[in-house]
Amino acid sequence: QQPPRRLTTTTVVQQKPTNAIHDLLAGGIAGSAGIFVGHPLDSLKVRMQMSSGSGGSSIRTILSQSSTLGSVWNGLPAPLAGAAALNACIFLTYGSTTRLWDKYDTTNGNNNDESKSLAKEAICGGITGFVSSFIMCPTEHIKTKQQLNVTMYRNSFHATQQIFTTHGFAGLNRGFVATAIRQSPGFCVYFGTYERLKDSLQTHNN
């Protein structure tokens, strides 16, 4: 029986940048596609929550309230433009923190310690969620402003300019604390679940 093949240091170094690039490209494209498809429904949801009519009448009113066809697309450029940056931030932060964790891990990468592995994924995921809030908060703020004020802003750039001129940098990032509180535990669960399912599927396939 032949011994298992070992990956050399050169092989690992050559593979990591390629995998990171693939992850960033795939995450950016997938995130942008998801925002493009889901944005009209998100606009309907936000405006229904702000209206006082019944569900059906609210939808009809929302769809006919603007003279411009496709008003449910208002606010799309901000989250769409931020999708690539957001996904790049998420993948780079999670990858960097996990590599830093492994570098200072005193157990020498003992994968049998499930509790330590889960702690690593939860903590690195929480840090990722907090860092991503710096991009998520202003893009969501601009998007929501445009969704609720159909005729006030010409485009996302105009909305950003008006908010920054009137309220400054703090106004542009209004709601950051709430966003960070939402993102951090959310990514703890997200990456913890993702890694557990990935390991289970790999074990099952092997």
Side-chain angles (χ1 to χ4, degrees), residues 41-108:
L41 297 177
D42 185 62
S43 294
L44 289 174
K45 179 206 71 173
V46 170
R47 294 176 190 176
M48 287 178 65
Q49 289 173 337
M50 299 300 295
S51 66
S52 58
S54 62
S57 61
S58 294
I59 292 177
R60 288 193 296 270
T61 302
I62 290 167
L63 292 176
S64 62
Q65 68 180 355
S66 176
S67 59
T68 304
L69 183 63
S71 63
V72 291
W73 296 97
N74 283 352
L76 175 65
L80 191 61
L86 178 62
N87 281 273
C89 173
I90 290 171
F91 280 105
L92 288 176
T93 304
Y94 184 72
S96 299
T97 51
T98 52
R99 285 190 295 270
L100 191 63
W101 180 288
D102 292 336
K103 180 179 179 180
Y104 294 100
D105 186 9
T106 57
T107 62
N108 296 322

Side-chain angles (χ1 to χ4, degrees), residues 2 5 13 24 35 37 57 65 75 84 94 97 110 139 151 196 198 201:
Q2 295 182 350
R5 182 183 177 185
V13 172
L24 289 174
I35 290 175
V37 172
S57 61
Q65 68 180 355
Y94 184 72
T97 51
N110 183 12
T139 55
T151 59
R196 297 275 73 74
K198 185 177 72 173
L201 290 174

Side-chain angles (χ1 to χ4, degrees), residues 118-139:
L118 186 60
K120 165 189 169 182
E121 293 149 7
I123 293 174
C124 293
I127 295 172
T128 301
F130 175 78
V131 174
S132 69
S133 301
F134 287 93
I135 299 176
M136 178 71 73
C137 181
T139 55

